[in-house]
Amino acid sequence: MAKYVTKTFAAAAAASVMAMSAGMAQAETWRYAFEEAIDEVQGVFAQKFKEEIEANSDHTVQLFPYGTLGESADIMEQAQAGILQFVDQSPGFTGSLIPEAQVFFVPYLLPQDTEKLGEFFRTSKAINEMFPELYSEQGLELLVMFPEGEVCMTTQEPVSGPEDLNEVKFRVMTNPLLVESYKAFGATPTPLPWGEVYGALQTGIIQGQENPMFFIESTKMYEVTEVITCAGHNNFTTAVMANEEFFEGLPEEEQKMINDAIDVAFEHIIDYQKGLHEESIEKIKAAKPEMQVNVLSEEERQPFVEAADEVEATFLEMTGESGKKILDQLKADLEAVQ
Ligand code: 6CS
C-alpha cells in the first residue's frame, strides 16, 4: 500500500513538473489586497481584474478589501514577503519606501479631466517605464497606476484660502511630501493611517482631511465635517503591484494574461468614474442637505497654486537627481496629452 501511495504521489508530482515545464502553471489561488472597500474604486478595479483572470485561466483570485488584513502599510509588507501576490497601495503610503512616488503630491501637477488623465496614465513614460524600475528595487512588479478622482478637503469651517487653514489640524496620508504640502497650504498636517481618520474627526483631534468625492461619500466623512472645498490641487493616484519573485516565476503567457487583465480593468475603472464625482455630491447632499460644497474660483486658488513651487522644491531636495528625472519626464508626458 505504502509503495502504491509513494508511486502515485511520484507520478502526480512528475505530471505537475511536466505541466509546469510545458508552460502550464498549476491552477493556484492568488491573493490580492487593496486599501478600500469592495464597492469603492480600488475594489471595482480588483473585481474586474479577478473576473478577467478567472475567465482566462484556471486560477482563482481571492480579494482582501480594506481592513481584512490590516492597514495599507501591512498589506504592502505582506506583498513584499510574498504572502500576497497582488497589492494596491497608493503613493500616499509608498513615500517612505519609494520617495520618488511622492511626485504625485506636487500640487496642481495632474489635470482633473478623467479622459486626459486616462490618456496620461496609459502613455506616460515616467509611469510605464521609469517607475517600474523603482518599484522593482523594492521587490515589486508595478502593473499599473490609475487615477481615483479629484481630491477635495473636508473641514469644520469654510476654506477660501490658506489663512482659513491656519491652526487646522489636517489629516494627511503618511507621506512626507504631503505633510510639506499642507504646511505650505497653511495647515498643521497630521499624518494618520486611514482607520483612525473618522474617529479623530469625531473627537476633534483633527479638523480636516482630503480625499476624492466618492470616498468622502462612501466613508461618510460628511458626517464628521461640515464643509467640502475643492481647490483642484490634486487627483488621487493609486498603484497595483505584484510580488516580483512571484511574477517573474510565472510562464510568459501567464504574465501576459495578467497584463491583459490589468489593461481591461484600467479601461473599466476610467469608464466607471465618469460622473462619479457629481453623483457622490448628490448623495452627500441627500444624506446631509446642510453640507456645504464649495469649488474655489481661479482667484481663490491662486495662493494654493503659488504654494506648489515650494512643495516642488522640497520634492527635489528629498529625491535628488532621480526625483528630478521623474518630475521632468512626468511634465513632458503631461504636456503631450494636454
Ligand atoms: O485617505 C486614505 O487613506 C484612503 N483614500 C483613498 C481614496 N483610498 C485609500 C486610502 O487609504
Side-chain angles (χ1 to χ4, degrees), residues 295-309:
V295 178
L296 296 192
S297 65
E298 286 304 317
E299 202 185 330
E300 287 169 323
R301 286 174 192 210
Q302 208 43 45
F304 293 110
V305 174
E306 280 160 20
D309 286 346

Side-chain angles (χ1 to χ4, degrees), residues 9 11 13 31 46-47 51 62 101 128 168 196 215 218 280 296:
F9 178 76
R31 291 178 290 275
Q47 285 187 68
E51 194 184 303
Q62 192 179 5
N128 298 301
V168 173
E196 292 175 35
F215 204 66
S218 58
S280 305
L296 296 192

Side-chain angles (χ1 to χ4, degrees), residues 278-298:
E278 294 73 18
E279 278 164 34
S280 305
I281 295 178
E282 277 170 29
K283 285 189 190 166
I284 293 170
K285 285 281 193 189
K288 185 175 171 181
E290 68 275 25
M291 191 77 190
Q292 285 185 46
V293 183
N294 300 330
V295 178
L296 296 192
S297 65
E298 286 304 317

Side-chain angles (χ1 to χ4, degrees), residues 100-122:
E100 294 86 345
Q102 299 181 105
V103 74
F104 296 102
F105 298 96
V106 173
Y108 298 100
L109 192 62
L110 298 182
Q112 297 301 351
D113 181 277
T114 314
E115 291 285 326
K116 257 183 217 161
L117 271 170
E119 196 48 20
F120 162 68
F121 280 93
R122 253 177 234 118

Side-chain angles (χ1 to χ4, degrees), residues 112-220:
Q112 297 301 351
D113 181 277
T114 314
E115 291 285 326
K116 257 183 217 161
L117 271 170
E119 196 48 20
F120 162 68
F121 280 93
R122 253 177 234 118
T123 55
S124 164
K125 189 175 167 208
I127 288 179
N128 298 301
E129 292 175 33
M130 294 167 85
F131 269 118
E133 284 178 20
L134 298 170
Y135 277 77
S136 173
E137 286 167 18
Q138 302 302 326
L140 298 161
E141 175 80 22
L142 177 64
L143 297 172
V144 71
M145 285 184 171
F146 63 88
E148 292 198 46
E150 177 180 351
V151 168
C152 297
M153 306 178 234
T154 67
T155 50
Q156 306 302 347
E157 302 290 337
V159 176
S160 54
E163 63 287 355
D164 297 319
L165 288 173
N166 188 20
E167 310 264 305
V168 173
K169 288 205 193 77
F170 200 100
R171 179 269 176 170
V172 291
M173 290 181 281
T174 52
N175 177 309
L177 196 71
L178 200 46
V179 168
E180 292 309 316
S181 178
Y182 270 89
K183 270 189 203 159
F185 284 177
T188 305
T190 311
L192 285 178
W194 172 246
E196 292 175 35
V197 181
Y198 189 99
L201 283 166
Q202 200 171 30
T203 54
I205 292 170
I206 53 169
Q207 295 87 40
Q209 66 90 37
E210 60 158 33
N211 255 308
M213 203 59 82
F214 83 87
F215 204 66
I216 294 173
E217 190 277 317
S218 58
T219 61
K220 302 199 186 318

